[in-house]
Amino acid sequence: MAVNPDKLTALDVMRDAPVIPVIVLHDVAHAVPLARALVAGGIRMLEVTLRTPQALQCIEAIARDVPEAVAGAGTIRSASDAQASVLAGAKFGVSPGYTSAVGKACRDLGLPLLPGVATGSEIMMAQEDGYQQLKFFPAMQAGGLPMLKAWQGPFGDVTFCPTGGIHAGNAAEFLALSNVACVGGSWIVPTDAIQQGDWARIEQLAREATQLAR
């Protein structure tokens, strides 16, 4: 599927592949080979979390050197995070929670956002601000499959990307739900594989992830 990163929507991000990798990078030198390995395995939407001092540089490197990838910024918690992410080249954002200030900042910047929610009230707040595609986080700790099933009734118009505790062994169960478009997970970007530069392993994990049924 052809995706224009400059006309991206949150739904485009969610529907591109069954899994959005949740990436934590401590070394800028790892960013480009990691992104290339994921793209080779069929994963293009890459969430680089703003959890390390190097994260923005990593997003910048991927945006510059891996045009087939779509670099996104995770752990957006403020308007300044959103602004810095866009300046670094991020084409979408993901937040661990939701505030109207973050939602407005991303909208003003033209940055598609997957806001994090864990309760019905948070879903309603995000919907009031026009967000229908949401990240359910932390998915397992906040109720997992039973919670998503319960939300199908009152929030049947919302599409979720559950993240947090998702792995190869349970991802298919989440993807089978009608209100789930994709899952977020770190299992396809294991820390040891990144540190060892085992890009072939990461490519294979990405390839396996694309085969998960939705």
Side-chain angles (χ1 to χ4, degrees):
M1 181 179 71
V3 173
N4 181 348
D6 296 318
K7 295 182 179 178
L8 203 62
T9 68
L11 207 52
D12 291 331
V13 174
M14 296 173 90
R15 287 181 171 168
D16 200 62
V19 182
I20 297 174
V22 179
I23 302 166
V24 180
L25 288 169
H26 297 273
D27 187 339
V28 179
H30 291 153
V32 168
L34 172 67
R36 287 178 175 154
L38 289 166
V39 168
I43 303 286
R44 298 183 295 177
M45 302 294 167
L46 312 183
E47 177 191 341
V48 179
T49 62
L50 303 183
R51 300 181 191 176
T52 67
Q54 300 81 10
L56 290 169
Q57 287 177 274
C58 291
I59 291 170
E60 189 174 358
I62 293 168
R64 181 186 64 238
D65 296 337
V66 194
E68 322 90 87
V70 180
T75 324
I76 290 179
R77 300 190 301 164
S78 65
S80 59
D81 282 346
Q83 192 164 35
S85 298
V86 169
L87 288 173
K91 297 299 183 183
F92 68 93
V94 184
S95 62
Y98 182 73
T99 67
S100 288
V102 166
K104 182 180 186 303
C106 290
R107 189 179 300 106
D108 290 349
L109 290 162
L111 184 69
L113 175 69
L114 292 180
V117 298
T119 67
S121 296
E122 291 168 355
I123 294 171
M124 290 167 66
M125 287 173 57
Q127 282 193 294
E128 280 183 5
D129 291 344
Y131 290 97
Q132 297 289 106
Q133 288 81 40
L134 309 177
K135 166 184 170 176
F136 176 35
F137 177 81
M140 293 303 290
Q141 295 86 343
L145 288 163
M147 183 67 84
L148 284 164
K149 289 176 182 176
W151 281 343
Q152 285 175 330
F155 301 115
D157 54 346
V158 177
T159 307
F160 294 98
C161 170
T163 305
I166 312 296
H167 52 77
N170 64 8
E173 291 181 279
F174 283 90
L175 290 165
L177 297 179
S178 61
N179 56 346
V180 170
C182 66
V183 299
S186 57
W187 84 87
I188 60 174
V189 284
T191 301
D192 61 333
I194 294 173
Q195 290 174 342
Q196 295 161 14
D198 192 349
W199 312 124
R201 179 182 167 199
I202 288 173
E203 179 182 341
Q204 180 58 32
L205 287 168
R207 200 176 302 282
E208 291 167 3
T210 64
Q211 300 307 306
L212 288 166
R214 287 192 288 186

